[in-house]
Amino acid sequence: MRWLIAGLIGAALLAGKAEARELDLSYAIYFGGFSVADFQSKIEYDSSDYRVTTEARSAGVLDYFFPIEVTSEGLGSLRDGRVEPKAYLSHGSFKGEPRRISLRNRNGAPPEIAMHPPRDPDKRDAVPEALQLGTLDPYAALVALALRSDGHPCEAELPVFNGRTRTDFRLRHAGSDRLQKSDYSAFSGTADLCEVEYETLAGGYKKPWFGKDKSNSRTRLWVTRLSADGPWIPVRLEAEGAFGMVVGHITGASERIDLAERILLKP
């Protein structure tokens, strides 16, 4: 689910804008009330292309026991309201050991995959090529949500392949909430609530680290526009786990349109 959280941070894009735009977003992730990770995401886009980069690292107790650093990037084209992913790259370290994965050149065929360390067949099965076809990488999937012209971004079904796992996501619009600025979050205002369900079709761990997924577990995402003509921005995330709740808060946001910059949210 780490890539899911990082991917949700990159979901701030909107179609139909001819000018070049750039968003800088920052988030903090908490588990059981303790800080466990920080994210900084940069989204650059115009009417034909997008690029999303995210830097994430563990914090607090998690960083002491399981230090993690990840830099990820998604590139693609925007054509006639469709998202066409070109590449997805993620590299970093877990407990000091390097990890990387890349997906390239889909063009109607399964993506070219490179990963280190290689898949361990004792821990994961390979994802069949048939389940790789017609999928989106994590960043392309979230960009596709915001590019929807035929409905709310919280009403969607997304087939996602991140190089190791094929997962189907289903989102449902569940109303709106009034969120308050706090010591954790920089946002105050009304945000739309997305209920997120997911099903892993292939490539998941044969023996999950924390046991089987809870059948009644859920993920909730709050999104809003920080300006009248701006993109949808995720401002809060809640994801249930076997041992507690993971919560993500937006901690800052700025926007640059053709080099003119403005602050959208301040801590």
Side-chain angles (χ1 to χ4, degrees), residues 1-10 29 36-39 54-58 62 66-70 72 88 90 92-95 97 99-101 116-117 124 138-139 142 162 164-165 169 198 205 209-210 237 239 246:
M1 293 295 291
R2 293 192 302 272
W3 64 264
L4 171 62
I5 297 174
L8 290 172
I9 293 173
I29 308 299
V36 294
D38 295 308
F39 289 81
T54 296
E55 294 184 358
R57 65 165 297 149
S58 52
L62 180 64
F66 302 102
I68 302 170
E69 292 185 9
V70 179
S72 53
Y88 172 75
S90 178
S93 63
F94 177 65
K95 294 194 295 185
E97 296 296 324
R99 299 175 65 88
R100 62 180 179 272
I101 191 165
H116 176 83
R124 296 177 185 259
Y139 283 138
L142 275 302
N162 69 348
R164 298 182 187 271
T165 307
F169 289 87
Y198 64 93
Y205 280 104
W209 293 356
F210 301 119
L237 168 75
V246 175

Side-chain angles (χ1 to χ4, degrees), residues 6-188:
L8 290 172
I9 293 173
L13 292 173
L14 186 68
K17 301 298 181 183
E19 63 270 341
R21 290 198 173 202
E22 179 181 309
L23 289 167
D24 289 288
L25 308 172
S26 58
Y27 294 81
I29 308 299
Y30 296 85
F31 177 76
F34 294 96
S35 174
V36 294
D38 295 308
F39 289 81
Q40 289 76 42
S41 187
K42 183 184 294 290
I43 301 99
E44 302 164 89
Y45 65 101
D46 56 25
S47 60
S48 59
D49 298 286
Y50 71 87
R51 178 173 182 260
V52 182
T53 56
T54 296
E55 294 184 358
R57 65 165 297 149
S58 52
V61 175
L62 180 64
D63 190 56
Y64 182 81
F65 289 103
F66 302 102
I68 302 170
E69 292 185 9
V70 179
T71 298
S72 53
E73 179 180 37
L75 304 169
S77 299
L78 309 175
R79 300 182 187 279
D80 300 323
R82 302 191 312 273
V83 176
E84 298 181 358
K86 294 179 179 178
Y88 172 75
L89 312 137
S90 178
H91 62 88
S93 63
F94 177 65
K95 294 194 295 185
E97 296 296 324
R99 299 175 65 88
R100 62 180 179 272
I101 191 165
S102 67
L103 307 177
R104 296 182 182 274
N105 302 327
R106 292 171 179 257
N107 296 325
E112 298 176 3
I113 307 169
M115 69 175 72
H116 176 83
R119 178 183 61 85
D120 185 342
D122 291 332
K123 295 181 178 179
R124 296 177 185 259
D125 289 327
V127 176
E129 287 192 354
L131 289 179
Q132 299 177 29
L133 293 170
T135 59
L136 301 168
D137 64 62
Y139 283 138
L142 275 302
V143 170
L145 287 181
L147 287 173
R148 290 194 65 195
S149 59
D150 58 347
H152 195 277
C154 290
E155 297 287 352
E157 295 187 4
L158 299 166
V160 178
F161 178 55
N162 69 348
R164 298 182 187 271
T165 307
R166 162 64 193 273
T167 307
D168 281 359
F169 289 87
R170 293 177 292 275
L171 289 85
R172 180 179 65 87
H173 190 204
S176 61
D177 287 325
R178 177 77 183 180
L179 304 180
Q180 299 296 328
K181 185 175 181 179
S182 67
D183 292 339
Y184 299 100
S185 173
F187 175 75
S188 178

